[in-house]
Amino acid sequence: MAIKYDAIQRGNISEILGRLEKKGYKIVGLKMVTPTRQQIEAHYHDLKGRPFFAGLVDYMTGLPLVCIVAEGKGVISYSRVMIGATNPLVAPPGTIRGDLSVDVGRNSVHGSDSVETAKDEINLWFKPEEVANYELANAQWVYEK
Ligand code: IDP
Ligand code: MG
C-alpha cells in the first residue's frame, strides 16, 4: 500500500497505518519516497493510455509518498476492502477512502490489486533488505495457529 501526498498533507499517515495495525496486519516495510516520473510511470504502467494517466503521473511525480509493505492473512484482498472503491464517493463509510477522501484524484492511498502486482510493486519501491523479517509478539491473539 502507499499513502499518497494528499493524505500526508491532511495528517492521515498515522490514521492509515493505524488501521492496518489495528486489523492485525504486520508492517514489514515503511518508507517515505519522493518518486521520479519514471517510477510513477512504472508503478501505473497498466493505466498508460487512460485519459487520466498524464494527470495522475504529473500529480504524483516529485511529491512524497509513504510506501508500505504489510503482511498477514488475506492482506492483499482485504486491504482493498479496507481502502474502498477508487471513487471515494462510492466507497462506503468505514473504508479509508470513504472516511478520509472525496475526489478520485485525491483518494488518499494506493493498494496493490493482486499477489502478482504486490510482488512487482514491492520490487519497484523496496530493496530486499528494506523489508523486515520479524514476528509480532501478539500473533497468537490474531491467529488461531
Ligand atoms: P485504484 O487506486 O483503486 O486501484 P486504479 O484504477 O488503479 O484505481 O487507478 C489508479 C489511480 O488513478 C486511482 O487511485 C486514482 O487516483 C486515479 N484514477 C483512477 N481513475 C480515475 C479517473 O477516472 N479520473 C481521475 N483519476 C483516476
Ligand atoms: Mg490500481
Side-chain angles (χ1 to χ4, degrees), residues 4 44 47 52 56 80 85-86 97 104-105 107 109-111:
K4 296 181 181 178
Y44 283 125
L47 298 175
F52 57 85
L56 177 66
R80 294 287 299 194
T86 305
R97 287 170 174 163
V104 70
N107 62 4
V109 286
H110 165 77

Side-chain angles (χ1 to χ4, degrees), residues 30-51:
L30 183 63
K31 64 174 177 180
M32 188 173 270
V33 179
T34 301
T36 62
R37 182 167 296 272
Q38 288 71 21
Q39 282 175 303
I40 293 296
E41 283 176 351
H43 176 78
Y44 283 125
H45 66 93
D46 57 319
L47 298 175
K48 206 170 176 174
R50 301 289 288 275

